[in-house]
Amino acid sequence: MTATPKLRRRTSILGAVLVAALSATFSVAPAQAVSDVASAKPAVVKVTYAALGDSYAAGVGGGDYLDLCLTSPNGYAALLAGDPGGVHADLRGCTGATTDTVMATQLAGLDQRTKTVTLTVGANDLGVGALGQYCLTHTSEECLAALQFALGALETIATDLDETLAAIRDVAPKATVYVTGYPLLFEPSTDPRFIAVNQGVQLLNDLIEASVAAAGSGFVYVDIEQVFAGHGIGAADPWILAPPDVEAFHPNPAGYAAYAEAIRAAG
């Protein structure tokens, strides 16, 4: 996929301020390593609403987990499934999932009867969580270098997102697919490390939005950045868990409620 002008412009700006690339021995791991739990959920026979994606789709940070994927009844998918008239919901979001995981393990059982799909994916492909953790424990220069290294994956992620959306359309031709972005993790700050992490998330969101636009009719991008404005890490009323919480960089129940409202409003 060709990058949008906004994506090219922002990447150019970042490139001008980032330091030299990381050494060959450094790698940014996914936010949560993909494991067998990402394919641990059996498919139901009939699926009217399917919630696909990663730990954000599962509801990590919401608590009261129901399974190894860390599906939370307080996550946005569970909240949407509980709306009046909601039937035959299948919550397939799973911690550690990537675009490859969605295509390989989360599409079974979707068909022409599937009316609604939600999807949150891409953060593990880029390694957003690992970038956040790294930046909080290293210098600004090292953080900026890590961001530059992570941005090298954008072109591949764009292709993978396009393929994921096409696969969803193939199996669920009549569904409306709501594809969400991610919140900026930190409140506005002068700390270059926090700025770098937020810029990484912005670039990922730009890429997701561009893929959704290219996918055409039936796909809706849900912007989360503005929804979470004033509620990032460092805010008086944060909706994102902060380190050293083991579920850091994920929304809390209030954040997931805001996610659900944003998706409803986009409907």
Side-chain angles (χ1 to χ4, degrees):
M1 182 185 72
T2 302
T4 64
K6 179 167 68 171
L7 180 58
R8 288 197 300 268
R9 182 170 62 254
R10 189 173 284 161
T11 304
S12 172
I13 294 170
L14 282 173
V17 298
L18 293 178
V19 296
L22 300 180
S23 67
T25 58
F26 181 84
S27 63
V28 178
Q32 291 174 301
V34 178
S35 65
D36 290 341
V37 300
S39 58
K41 296 184 179 182
V44 300
V45 175
K46 178 180 179 181
V47 183
T48 300
Y49 165 47
L52 313 178
D54 57 23
S55 53
Y56 270 59
V60 172
D64 302 322
Y65 301 115
L66 304 175
D67 52 33
L68 292 176
C69 281
L70 302 184
T71 304
S72 171
N74 302 309
Y76 79 72
L79 296 176
L80 294 174
D83 284 350
V87 294
H88 303 298
D90 196 3
L91 310 185
R92 301 182 178 188
C94 198
T95 184
T98 63
T99 49
D100 286 345
T101 310
V102 172
M103 289 189 286
T105 71
Q106 295 185 9
L107 300 183
L110 276 66
D111 57 28
Q112 61 183 358
R113 297 171 295 181
T114 305
K115 302 302 182 186
T116 304
V117 174
T118 56
L119 173 68
T120 305
V121 75
N124 287 325
D125 299 71
L126 186 62
V128 171
L131 178 64
Q133 293 284 4
Y134 183 85
C135 284
L136 288 180
T137 56
H138 290 74
T139 67
S140 298
E141 290 76 13
E142 289 169 330
C143 173
L144 291 172
L147 174 61
Q148 184 180 29
F149 185 89
L151 293 182
L154 283 178
E155 184 175 352
T156 297
I157 295 171
T159 299
D160 290 343
L161 279 169
D162 289 347
E163 292 176 353
T164 301
L165 298 184
I168 293 172
R169 177 54 69 227
D170 285 345
V171 298
K174 297 182 179 180
T176 300
V177 184
Y178 298 93
V179 185
T180 79
Y182 294 87
L184 302 186
L185 297 180
F186 297 98
E187 281 298 285
S189 170
T190 58
D191 190 320
R193 300 172 302 166
F194 300 163
I195 294 171
V197 174
N198 281 350
Q199 286 177 328
V201 175
Q202 286 177 320
L203 282 168
L204 177 60
N205 286 339
D206 287 348
L207 187 153
I208 294 170
E209 184 176 11
S211 288
V212 171
S217 177
F219 290 87
V220 179
Y221 177 70
V222 182
D223 188 342
I224 298 297
E225 289 185 29
Q226 292 304 312
V227 172
F228 273 70
H231 298 284
I233 294 172
D237 180 22
W239 291 350
I240 301 174
L241 299 174
D245 194 299
V246 295
E247 295 168 353
F249 307 125
H250 291 87
N252 59 22
Y256 282 120
Y259 250 96
E261 283 302 316
I263 295 170
R264 292 185 186 109

